[in-house]
Coordinates of all heavy atoms in Angstrom, one line a residue:
M229 N -24.0 12.3 -18.5 CA -22.7 12.4 -17.9 C -22.8 12.4 -16.4 O -23.7 13.0 -15.8 CB -22.0 13.6 -18.4 CG -20.6 13.7 -17.8 SD -19.5 14.8 -18.8 CE -19.9 16.3 -18.1
G230 N -22.0 11.6 -15.7 CA -22.1 11.5 -14.2 C -21.5 12.7 -13.5 O -20.9 13.6 -14.1
R231 N -21.8 12.8 -12.3 CA -21.3 13.9 -11.5 C -19.8 13.8 -11.3 O -19.2 12.6 -11.3 CB -21.9 13.9 -10.1 CG -23.4 14.1 -10.0 CD -23.9 14.2 -8.6 NE -23.1 13.3 -7.7 CZ -23.7 12.3 -7.0 NH1 -24.9 12.0 -7.1 NH2 -22.9 11.6 -6.1
P232 N -19.0 14.9 -11.2 CA -17.6 14.8 -11.0 C -17.4 14.1 -9.6 O -18.2 14.3 -8.7 CB -17.1 16.2 -10.9 CG -18.2 17.0 -11.5 CD -19.5 16.2 -11.4
N233 N -16.3 13.3 -9.5 CA -16.0 12.7 -8.3 C -17.0 11.6 -7.9 O -16.9 11.1 -6.8 CB -15.8 13.6 -7.1 CG -14.7 14.6 -7.4 OD1 -13.7 14.3 -8.0 ND2 -14.9 15.9 -7.0
Q234 N -17.8 11.2 -8.8 CA -18.8 10.1 -8.5 C -18.0 8.8 -8.4 O -17.2 8.5 -9.3 CB -19.9 10.0 -9.6 CG -20.9 9.0 -9.3 CD -22.0 9.0 -10.4 OE1 -21.9 9.8 -11.4 NE2 -23.0 8.2 -10.2
M235 N -18.3 8.0 -7.3 CA -17.6 6.8 -7.2 C -18.3 5.7 -8.1 O -19.5 5.7 -8.3 CB -17.8 6.3 -5.7 CG -17.3 7.3 -4.7 SD -15.8 6.8 -3.8 CE -15.6 5.1 -3.8
T236 N -17.5 4.9 -8.6 CA -18.0 3.8 -9.4 C -17.6 2.5 -8.7 O -16.7 2.4 -8.0 CB -17.4 3.8 -10.8 OG1 -16.0 3.7 -10.7 CG2 -17.7 5.0 -11.6
S237 N -18.5 1.5 -8.9 CA -18.2 0.2 -8.3 C -17.3 -0.6 -9.2 O -17.2 -0.5 -10.4 CB -19.5 -0.6 -8.0 OG -20.1 -0.9 -9.2
V238 N -16.5 -1.5 -8.6 CA -15.6 -2.4 -9.4 C -16.3 -3.7 -9.4 O -16.6 -4.3 -8.4 CB -14.2 -2.5 -8.7 CG1 -13.4 -3.5 -9.4 CG2 -13.6 -1.2 -8.6
Q239 N -16.6 -4.2 -10.6 CA -17.3 -5.5 -10.8 C -16.3 -6.6 -10.9 O -15.3 -6.5 -11.6 CB -18.1 -5.4 -12.1 CG -19.2 -4.3 -12.0 CD -20.2 -4.5 -10.9 OE1 -20.6 -5.6 -10.6 NE2 -20.5 -3.4 -10.2
P240 N -16.5 -7.7 -10.1 CA -15.6 -8.8 -10.2 C -15.7 -9.5 -11.6 O -16.7 -9.6 -12.2 CB -16.1 -9.8 -9.1 CG -17.3 -9.1 -8.5 CD -17.6 -7.8 -9.2
T241 N -14.5 -10.0 -12.0 CA -14.4 -10.8 -13.2 C -13.6 -12.1 -12.9 O -13.1 -12.2 -11.8 CB -13.8 -10.0 -14.3 OG1 -12.4 -9.8 -14.0 CG2 -14.5 -8.7 -14.6
A242 N -13.4 -12.9 -13.9 CA -12.6 -14.1 -13.7 C -11.1 -13.7 -13.4 O -10.4 -14.3 -12.7 CB -12.6 -15.0 -14.9
E243 N -10.7 -12.5 -13.9 CA -9.3 -12.1 -13.8 C -9.2 -11.2 -12.5 O -8.1 -11.1 -12.0 CB -8.9 -11.2 -15.0 CG -8.8 -12.0 -16.3 CD -10.2 -12.1 -16.9 OE1 -11.0 -11.2 -16.8 OE2 -10.5 -13.1 -17.6
S244 N -10.2 -10.6 -12.0 CA -10.1 -9.7 -10.9 C -11.2 -9.9 -9.9 O -12.4 -10.1 -10.3 CB -10.3 -8.2 -11.4 OG -10.4 -7.3 -10.4
P245 N -10.9 -10.0 -8.6 CA -11.9 -10.3 -7.6 C -12.8 -9.1 -7.3 O -13.7 -9.3 -6.6 CB -11.0 -10.6 -6.4 CG -9.7 -9.9 -6.6 CD -9.5 -9.9 -8.1
G246 N -12.5 -8.0 -7.9 CA -13.4 -6.9 -7.8 C -13.0 -5.9 -6.7 O -13.7 -5.0 -6.3
W247 N -11.8 -6.0 -6.2 CA -11.3 -5.1 -5.2 C -10.8 -3.9 -5.9 O -10.0 -4.0 -6.8 CB -10.2 -5.7 -4.3 CG -10.5 -7.0 -3.7 CD1 -11.7 -7.4 -3.1 CD2 -9.7 -8.1 -3.6 NE1 -11.6 -8.7 -2.7 CE2 -10.4 -9.1 -2.9 CE3 -8.4 -8.3 -3.9 CZ2 -9.8 -10.4 -2.6 CZ3 -7.8 -9.6 -3.6 CH2 -8.5 -10.6 -3.0
G248 N -11.1 -2.7 -5.4 CA -10.5 -1.5 -6.0 C -9.2 -1.1 -5.3 O -8.2 -0.8 -5.9
V249 N -9.3 -1.3 -3.9 CA -8.1 -0.9 -3.1 C -8.0 -2.0 -2.0 O -9.0 -2.3 -1.4 CB -8.2 0.5 -2.5 CG1 -7.1 0.8 -1.5 CG2 -8.3 1.5 -3.6
V250 N -6.8 -2.4 -1.7 CA -6.5 -3.2 -0.5 C -5.5 -2.4 0.3 O -4.5 -2.0 -0.2 CB -5.9 -4.6 -0.9 CG1 -5.5 -5.3 0.3 CG2 -6.9 -5.4 -1.7
A251 N -5.8 -2.2 1.6 CA -5.0 -1.4 2.5 C -4.5 -2.4 3.6 O -5.3 -3.2 4.1 CB -5.7 -0.2 3.0
S252 N -3.3 -2.2 4.0 CA -2.8 -3.0 5.1 C -1.8 -2.2 6.0 O -1.1 -1.4 5.5 CB -2.0 -4.2 4.5 OG -1.5 -5.0 5.6
D253 N -1.9 -2.6 7.3 CA -1.0 -2.1 8.3 C 0.4 -2.7 8.0 O 0.5 -3.7 7.3 CB -1.5 -2.4 9.7 CG -0.6 -1.8 10.8 OD1 0.0 -0.7 10.6 OD2 -0.5 -2.4 11.8
L254 N 1.4 -2.2 8.6 CA 2.8 -2.7 8.5 C 3.1 -3.6 9.7 O 3.3 -4.8 9.5 CB 3.8 -1.6 8.4 CG 4.0 -1.0 7.1 CD1 5.0 0.2 7.2 CD2 4.5 -2.0 6.1
D255 N 3.2 -3.1 10.9 CA 3.7 -3.8 12.0 C 2.8 -5.0 12.4 O 1.6 -4.9 12.6 CB 3.7 -2.9 13.3 CG 4.8 -1.8 13.1 OD1 5.9 -2.1 12.7 OD2 4.5 -0.6 13.4
G256 N 3.4 -6.2 12.3 CA 2.7 -7.4 12.7 C 1.7 -7.9 11.6 O 1.0 -8.9 11.7
T257 N 1.7 -7.2 10.5 CA 0.8 -7.6 9.3 C 1.7 -7.8 8.1 O 1.8 -9.0 7.7 CB -0.2 -6.5 9.0 OG1 -0.9 -6.2 10.3 CG2 -1.2 -7.0 8.0
L258 N 2.2 -6.8 7.5 CA 3.1 -7.0 6.4 C 4.6 -7.3 6.8 O 5.3 -8.1 6.1 CB 3.2 -5.7 5.5 CG 1.9 -5.4 4.7 CD1 2.1 -4.1 4.0 CD2 1.5 -6.5 3.8
L259 N 5.0 -6.7 7.9 CA 6.4 -6.9 8.4 C 6.4 -8.1 9.3 O 5.5 -8.2 10.2 CB 6.9 -5.7 9.0 CG 7.0 -4.4 8.2 CD1 7.5 -3.3 9.1 CD2 7.8 -4.6 7.0
N260 N 7.5 -8.9 9.2 CA 7.6 -10.0 10.2 C 8.2 -9.5 11.5 O 8.4 -8.2 11.7 CB 8.5 -11.1 9.6 CG 9.9 -10.7 9.3 OD1 10.4 -9.7 9.7 ND2 10.6 -11.6 8.6
S261 N 8.5 -10.3 12.4 CA 9.0 -9.9 13.7 C 10.3 -9.2 13.7 O 10.7 -8.4 14.6 CB 9.1 -11.1 14.7 OG 10.0 -12.1 14.2
D262 N 11.1 -9.4 12.5 CA 12.3 -8.6 12.3 C 12.1 -7.3 11.6 O 13.1 -6.7 11.1 CB 13.3 -9.5 11.5 CG 13.7 -10.7 12.3 OD1 13.9 -10.7 13.5 OD2 13.9 -11.8 11.7
R263 N 10.9 -6.9 11.4 CA 10.5 -5.7 10.7 C 11.0 -5.8 9.2 O 11.5 -4.8 8.7 CB 11.0 -4.5 11.4 CG 10.3 -4.3 12.7 CD 10.7 -3.0 13.3 NE 10.0 -2.8 14.6 CZ 10.3 -1.9 15.5 NH1 11.4 -1.2 15.3 NH2 9.6 -1.8 16.6
Y264 N 10.8 -6.9 8.6 CA 11.2 -7.2 7.2 C 10.1 -7.7 6.4 O 9.3 -8.5 6.9 CB 12.4 -8.2 7.3 CG 12.9 -8.6 6.0 CD1 13.8 -7.7 5.3 CD2 12.6 -9.8 5.4 CE1 14.3 -8.0 4.0 CE2 13.1 -10.1 4.1 CZ 14.0 -9.2 3.5 OH 14.5 -9.6 2.2
L265 N 10.0 -7.3 5.1 CA 9.1 -7.8 4.2 C 9.6 -9.1 3.6 O 10.7 -9.1 2.9 CB 8.8 -6.8 3.0 CG 8.0 -5.6 3.3 CD1 8.1 -4.6 2.2 CD2 6.5 -6.0 3.5
T266 N 8.9 -10.2 3.8 CA 9.4 -11.5 3.3 C 9.1 -11.6 1.8 O 8.3 -10.8 1.3 CB 8.7 -12.7 4.0 OG1 7.3 -12.6 3.8 CG2 9.0 -12.6 5.5
D267 N 9.7 -12.5 1.1 CA 9.5 -12.8 -0.3 C 8.0 -13.2 -0.5 O 7.4 -12.8 -1.4 CB 10.4 -13.9 -0.8 CG 11.8 -13.5 -0.9 OD1 12.1 -12.3 -0.9 OD2 12.7 -14.4 -1.0
R268 N 7.5 -13.9 0.5 CA 6.1 -14.3 0.4 C 5.1 -13.1 0.4 O 4.1 -13.1 -0.3 CB 5.8 -15.3 1.5 CG 4.4 -15.8 1.5 CD 4.2 -16.8 2.7 NE 2.8 -17.3 2.7 CZ 2.2 -17.9 3.7 NH1 2.9 -18.1 4.8 NH2 1.0 -18.2 3.6
T269 N 5.4 -12.2 1.3 CA 4.6 -11.0 1.4 C 4.7 -10.1 0.2 O 3.6 -9.7 -0.3 CB 5.0 -10.2 2.7 OG1 4.8 -11.0 3.8 CG2 4.2 -8.9 2.8
V270 N 5.9 -10.0 -0.3 CA 6.0 -9.2 -1.5 C 5.3 -9.8 -2.7 O 4.6 -9.1 -3.5 CB 7.5 -9.0 -1.9 CG1 7.7 -8.3 -3.2 CG2 8.2 -8.2 -0.8
A271 N 5.3 -11.1 -2.8 CA 4.6 -11.9 -3.8 C 3.1 -11.7 -3.7 O 2.4 -11.5 -4.7 CB 5.0 -13.3 -3.8
A272 N 2.6 -11.7 -2.4 CA 1.2 -11.6 -2.2 C 0.7 -10.2 -2.6 O -0.4 -10.0 -3.2 CB 0.9 -11.8 -0.7
V273 N 1.5 -9.2 -2.3 CA 1.2 -7.8 -2.8 C 1.2 -7.7 -4.3 O 0.3 -7.1 -4.9 CB 2.1 -6.8 -2.1 CG1 1.9 -5.4 -2.8 CG2 1.9 -6.7 -0.6
G274 N 2.1 -8.4 -4.9 CA 2.2 -8.4 -6.4 C 0.9 -9.1 -7.0 O 0.4 -8.6 -8.0
R275 N 0.4 -10.1 -6.3 CA -0.8 -10.8 -6.8 C -2.0 -9.9 -6.7 O -2.9 -9.8 -7.5 CB -1.0 -12.1 -6.1 CG -0.1 -13.2 -6.5 CD -0.5 -14.6 -6.0 NE -0.6 -14.6 -4.5 CZ 0.5 -14.9 -3.7 NH1 1.7 -15.0 -4.2 NH2 0.3 -14.9 -2.4
V276 N -2.1 -9.1 -5.6 CA -3.2 -8.1 -5.4 C -3.1 -7.1 -6.6 O -4.2 -6.8 -7.2 CB -3.1 -7.4 -4.1 CG1 -4.0 -6.2 -4.0 CG2 -3.4 -8.4 -2.9
R277 N -2.0 -6.6 -6.8 CA -1.8 -5.6 -7.9 C -2.1 -6.2 -9.3 O -2.7 -5.6 -10.1 CB -0.4 -5.0 -7.9 CG -0.2 -4.1 -6.7 CD 1.1 -3.5 -6.6 NE 1.2 -2.5 -5.6 CZ 2.4 -2.2 -5.0 NH1 3.5 -2.7 -5.4 NH2 2.4 -1.2 -4.1
S278 N -1.7 -7.5 -9.5 CA -1.9 -8.2 -10.8 C -3.4 -8.4 -11.0 O -3.9 -8.5 -12.1 CB -1.2 -9.5 -10.8 OG 0.2 -9.3 -10.9
A279 N -4.2 -8.5 -9.9 CA -5.6 -8.7 -10.0 C -6.3 -7.4 -10.3 O -7.5 -7.4 -10.4 CB -6.1 -9.3 -8.7
G280 N -5.6 -6.3 -10.4 CA -6.2 -5.0 -10.7 C -6.5 -4.1 -9.6 O -7.0 -3.0 -9.8
A281 N -6.1 -4.5 -8.4 CA -6.3 -3.6 -7.2 C -5.1 -2.7 -6.9 O -4.0 -3.1 -7.2 CB -6.7 -4.5 -6.0
R282 N -5.4 -1.6 -6.3 CA -4.3 -0.8 -5.8 C -4.0 -1.3 -4.4 O -4.9 -1.7 -3.6 CB -4.8 0.7 -5.7 CG -5.1 1.2 -7.1 CD -5.5 2.6 -7.0 NE -4.4 3.5 -6.6 CZ -4.5 4.8 -6.4 NH1 -5.6 5.4 -6.6 NH2 -3.4 5.5 -6.1
F283 N -2.7 -1.3 -4.0 CA -2.3 -1.7 -2.7 C -1.7 -0.5 -1.9 O -0.8 0.1 -2.4 CB -1.2 -2.8 -2.8 CG -1.0 -3.4 -1.4 CD1 -1.7 -4.4 -0.9 CD2 0.1 -2.9 -0.6 CE1 -1.5 -5.0 0.3 CE2 0.3 -3.4 0.6 CZ -0.5 -4.5 1.1
V284 N -2.3 -0.2 -0.8 CA -1.9 0.9 0.0 C -1.4 0.5 1.4 O -2.1 -0.2 2.1 CB -3.1 1.9 0.1 CG1 -2.7 3.1 1.0 CG2 -3.6 2.4 -1.2
V285 N -0.2 1.0 1.7 CA 0.3 0.7 3.0 C -0.2 1.8 4.0 O -0.2 3.0 3.6 CB 1.9 0.8 3.0 CG1 2.5 0.8 4.4 CG2 2.4 -0.4 2.2
V286 N -0.7 1.4 5.2 CA -1.2 2.3 6.2 C -0.5 2.0 7.5 O -0.4 0.9 7.9 CB -2.7 2.1 6.3 CG1 -3.3 3.1 7.4 CG2 -3.4 2.2 5.0
T287 N 0.0 3.1 8.1 CA 0.8 2.9 9.4 C 0.6 4.1 10.3 O 0.4 5.2 9.8 CB 2.2 2.6 9.1 OG1 2.9 2.3 10.3 CG2 2.9 3.7 8.4
G288 N 0.8 3.9 11.5 CA 0.9 5.0 12.5 C 2.3 5.6 12.5 O 2.5 6.6 13.1
R289 N 3.2 5.0 11.9 CA 4.6 5.4 11.9 C 4.9 6.6 11.0 O 4.1 6.8 10.1 CB 5.5 4.2 11.5 CG 5.4 3.1 12.5 CD 6.7 2.4 12.7 NE 6.6 1.3 13.6 CZ 7.3 1.2 14.7 NH1 8.2 2.2 15.0 NH2 7.3 0.1 15.4
P290 N 6.0 7.3 11.2 CA 6.3 8.5 10.4 C 6.9 8.0 9.0 O 7.4 6.9 8.9 CB 7.4 9.2 11.2 CG 8.0 8.2 12.1 CD 6.9 7.2 12.4
V291 N 6.8 8.9 8.1 CA 7.3 8.6 6.7 C 8.8 8.2 6.7 O 9.2 7.3 6.0 CB 7.1 9.9 5.8 CG1 7.8 9.7 4.5 CG2 5.6 10.1 5.6
R292 N 9.6 8.9 7.5 CA 11.1 8.6 7.5 C 11.3 7.1 7.9 O 12.3 6.5 7.5 CB 11.8 9.5 8.4 CG 11.5 9.3 9.9 CD 12.3 10.3 10.8 NE 12.0 10.1 12.1 CZ 11.0 10.6 12.8 NH1 10.1 11.4 12.1 NH2 10.7 10.4 14.0
W293 N 10.4 6.5 8.7 CA 10.5 5.1 9.1 C 10.1 4.2 8.0 O 10.6 3.0 7.9 CB 9.7 4.9 10.3 CG 9.8 3.6 11.0 CD1 10.7 3.3 12.0 CD2 9.1 2.4 10.8 NE1 10.6 2.0 12.4 CE2 9.6 1.4 11.6 CE3 8.1 2.1 9.9 CZ2 9.1 0.1 11.7 CZ3 7.6 0.8 9.9 CH2 8.1 -0.2 10.8
L294 N 9.2 4.6 7.1 CA 8.7 3.7 6.0 C 9.7 3.4 5.0 O 9.8 2.2 4.5 CB 7.5 4.4 5.3 CG 6.2 4.5 6.0 CD1 5.3 5.4 5.2 CD2 5.6 3.1 6.1
T295 N 10.5 4.3 4.5 CA 11.3 4.2 3.3 C 12.1 2.9 3.3 O 12.0 2.1 2.3 CB 12.2 5.4 3.1 OG1 11.3 6.6 3.1 CG2 12.9 5.4 1.8
P296 N 13.0 2.6 4.2 CA 13.8 1.4 4.1 C 13.0 0.1 4.3 O 13.5 -0.9 3.8 CB 14.8 1.6 5.3 CG 14.1 2.5 6.3 CD 13.3 3.4 5.5
R297 N 11.8 0.2 4.8 CA 11.1 -1.0 5.1 C 10.1 -1.4 3.9 O 9.7 -2.6 3.8 CB 10.3 -0.9 6.4 CG 11.2 -0.9 7.5 CD 10.6 -0.5 8.8 NE 11.6 -0.5 9.9 CZ 12.5 0.4 10.2 NH1 12.5 1.5 9.4 NH2 13.3 0.3 11.1
V298 N 9.7 -0.5 3.1 CA 8.8 -0.8 2.1 C 9.3 -0.7 0.6 O 8.6 -0.8 -0.3 CB 7.5 0.1 2.2 CG1 6.8 -0.2 3.5 CG2 7.8 1.5 2.1
E299 N 10.6 -0.4 0.5 CA 11.1 -0.2 -0.9 C 10.9 -1.4 -1.8 O 10.8 -1.3 -3.0 CB 12.6 0.2 -0.8 CG 13.5 -0.8 -0.2 CD 14.9 -0.3 0.1 OE1 15.2 0.9 -0.2 OE2 15.7 -1.0 0.6
R300 N 10.8 -2.6 -1.2 CA 10.6 -3.8 -2.0 C 9.2 -3.8 -2.6 O 8.9 -4.6 -3.6 CB 10.8 -5.1 -1.2 CG 12.2 -5.3 -0.8 CD 12.5 -6.5 0.0 NE 12.2 -7.7 -0.9 CZ 11.9 -8.9 -0.5 NH1 11.7 -9.1 0.8 NH2 11.7 -9.9 -1.3
L301 N 8.3 -3.0 -2.1 CA 6.9 -3.0 -2.7 C 6.8 -2.0 -3.9 O 5.8 -2.0 -4.5 CB 5.9 -2.5 -1.6 CG 5.8 -3.5 -0.4 CD1 4.8 -2.9 0.6 CD2 5.3 -4.8 -0.9
G302 N 7.8 -1.3 -4.1 CA 7.8 -0.3 -5.2 C 7.3 1.0 -4.7 O 6.9 1.2 -3.6
D303 N 7.3 2.0 -5.7 CA 6.9 3.4 -5.3 C 5.7 3.9 -6.1 O 5.6 5.1 -6.2 CB 8.1 4.3 -5.4 CG 8.7 4.4 -6.8 OD1 8.1 3.8 -7.7 OD2 9.7 5.0 -6.9
D304 N 4.9 3.0 -6.6 CA 3.8 3.5 -7.5 C 2.5 3.8 -6.8 O 1.6 4.3 -7.4 CB 3.6 2.5 -8.6 CG 3.4 1.1 -8.1 OD1 3.7 0.8 -7.0 OD2 2.8 0.3 -8.9
E305 N 2.4 3.6 -5.5 CA 1.2 3.9 -4.8 C 1.5 4.8 -3.6 O 2.6 4.7 -3.0 CB 0.5 2.6 -4.3 CG 0.1 1.6 -5.3 CD -1.2 2.1 -6.1 OE1 -1.8 3.1 -5.6 OE2 -1.5 1.5 -7.1
V306 N 0.4 5.5 -3.2 CA 0.6 6.4 -2.0 C 0.6 5.5 -0.8 O 0.2 4.3 -0.8 CB -0.6 7.4 -1.9 CG1 -0.6 8.4 -3.0 CG2 -1.9 6.7 -1.7
M307 N 1.2 6.0 0.3 CA 1.2 5.3 1.6 C 0.6 6.3 2.6 O 0.9 7.5 2.5 CB 2.6 4.9 1.9 CG 3.2 4.0 0.9 SD 4.8 3.4 1.4 CE 5.2 2.3 0.0
I308 N -0.1 5.8 3.5 CA -0.7 6.6 4.6 C 0.1 6.4 5.9 O 0.3 5.3 6.3 CB -2.2 6.3 4.7 CG1 -2.9 6.5 3.4 CG2 -2.8 7.1 5.9 CD1 -4.3 6.0 3.4
A309 N 0.6 7.5 6.5 CA 1.4 7.4 7.6 C 0.9 8.3 8.8 O 0.0 9.0 8.6 CB 2.9 7.8 7.2
Q310 N 1.6 8.2 9.9 CA 1.4 9.0 11.1 C -0.1 9.0 11.5 O -0.7 10.0 11.6 CB 1.9 10.4 10.8 CG 3.4 10.5 10.7 CD 3.9 11.8 10.4 OE1 4.8 11.9 9.6 NE2 3.4 12.9 11.0
N311 N -0.6 7.8 11.6 CA -2.0 7.6 12.0 C -3.0 8.3 11.1 O -4.0 8.8 11.6 CB -2.2 8.0 13.5 CG -1.5 7.1 14.4 OD1 -1.5 5.8 14.3 ND2 -0.8 7.6 15.4
G312 N -2.7 8.3 9.8 CA -3.6 8.9 8.9 C -3.4 10.4 8.6 O -4.1 11.0 7.8
A313 N -2.5 11.0 9.3 CA -2.3 12.4 9.2 C -1.5 12.8 7.9 O -1.6 13.9 7.5 CB -1.6 13.0 10.4
V314 N -0.8 11.8 7.3 CA 0.0 12.1 6.2 C -0.2 11.1 5.1 O -0.3 9.9 5.3 CB 1.5 12.0 6.5 CG1 2.4 12.2 5.3 CG2 1.9 13.1 7.5
V315 N -0.5 11.6 3.9 CA -0.5 10.8 2.7 C 0.7 11.1 1.9 O 0.9 12.2 1.5 CB -1.8 11.0 1.8 CG1 -1.8 10.2 0.6 CG2 -3.0 10.8 2.7
W316 N 1.6 10.1 1.6 CA 2.9 10.3 1.0 C 3.0 9.4 -0.2 O 2.6 8.3 -0.3 CB 3.9 9.9 2.0 CG 5.3 9.8 1.5 CD1 6.1 10.9 1.0 CD2 6.2 8.7 1.5 NE1 7.3 10.4 0.7 CE2 7.4 9.1 1.0 CE3 6.1 7.4 1.9 CZ2 8.5 8.2 0.8 CZ3 7.1 6.5 1.8 CH2 8.3 6.9 1.2
H317 N 3.6 10.0 -1.3 CA 3.8 9.3 -2.5 C 5.3 9.1 -2.6 O 6.1 10.0 -2.8 CB 3.3 10.0 -3.7 CG 3.1 9.1 -4.9 ND1 4.2 8.5 -5.5 CD2 2.0 8.6 -5.5 CE1 3.8 7.8 -6.5 NE2 2.5 7.8 -6.5
P318 N 5.8 7.9 -2.4 CA 7.3 7.6 -2.4 C 8.0 8.0 -3.7 O 9.1 8.4 -3.7 CB 7.4 6.2 -2.1 CG 6.1 5.6 -2.1 CD 5.1 6.6 -2.2
A319 N 7.3 7.8 -4.9 CA 8.0 8.1 -6.2 C 8.3 9.6 -6.3 O 9.4 9.9 -6.9 CB 7.1 7.7 -7.3
T320 N 7.5 10.5 -5.8 CA 7.7 11.9 -5.9 C 8.1 12.5 -4.6 O 8.5 13.7 -4.6 CB 6.4 12.6 -6.4 OG1 5.4 12.4 -5.4 CG2 6.0 12.0 -7.7
N321 N 8.0 11.8 -3.5 CA 8.3 12.3 -2.2 C 7.3 13.4 -1.8 O 7.6 14.2 -0.9 CB 9.8 12.7 -2.0 CG 10.2 12.7 -0.5 OD1 9.7 11.8 0.2 ND2 11.0 13.6 -0.1
E322 N 6.2 13.5 -2.4 CA 5.2 14.5 -2.1 C 4.4 14.0 -0.9 O 4.0 12.9 -0.8 CB 4.3 14.7 -3.3 CG 4.9 15.5 -4.4 CD 3.9 15.7 -5.5 OE1 3.2 16.7 -5.4 OE2 3.9 14.9 -6.5
V323 N 4.0 15.0 -0.1 CA 3.2 14.8 1.1 C 1.9 15.5 0.8 O 1.9 16.6 0.4 CB 3.8 15.2 2.4 CG1 2.9 15.1 3.6 CG2 5.1 14.4 2.6

């Protein structure tokens, strides 16, 4: 039996590129110049998740700023805010 909390590697397959987690900033990356998630971006995040990876939003902004901008991505993954100081789960609103 392995050690508790032992990391395991994700092996690539034809269905999955082998990514365990994909993290992305918001400003200038996921959000366009109008601070909006385009349909293309939402679809790309969906493809990452369909490939078996978790998708995590990371931003320097506060949690209160995130909610209206990322609701189209769903609430099933944690988000990292305030320059890494806060890990927030939108489904439960837990910090």
Side-chain angles (χ1 to χ4, degrees):
M229 184 160 81
R231 297 185 328 241
N233 300 323
Q234 183 177 2
M235 302 250 337
T236 58
S237 65
V238 177
Q239 299 300 317
T241 66
E243 297 81 33
S244 172
W247 309 320
V249 175
V250 173
S252 178
D253 184 34
L254 280 176
D255 293 314
T257 306
L258 290 179
L259 300 179
N260 65 10
S261 59
D262 295 324
R263 295 185 176 160
Y264 179 76
L265 285 167
T266 65
D267 292 340
R268 181 179 179 197
T269 300
V270 173
V273 171
R275 286 191 302 275
V276 167
R277 289 177 171 157
S278 293
R282 297 178 71 180
F283 188 86
V284 178
V285 170
V286 181
T287 184
R289 299 216 182 236
V291 169
R292 70 180 179 277
W293 189 88
L294 282 171
T295 306
R297 289 166 181 85
V298 297
E299 62 190 1
R300 292 184 66 203
L301 295 179
D303 61 3
D304 54 338
E305 295 289 351
V306 297
M307 298 184 184
I308 300 171
Q310 294 178 221
N311 292 317
V314 172
V315 178
W316 172 61
H317 198 292
T320 62
N321 204 33
E322 289 183 84
V323 175

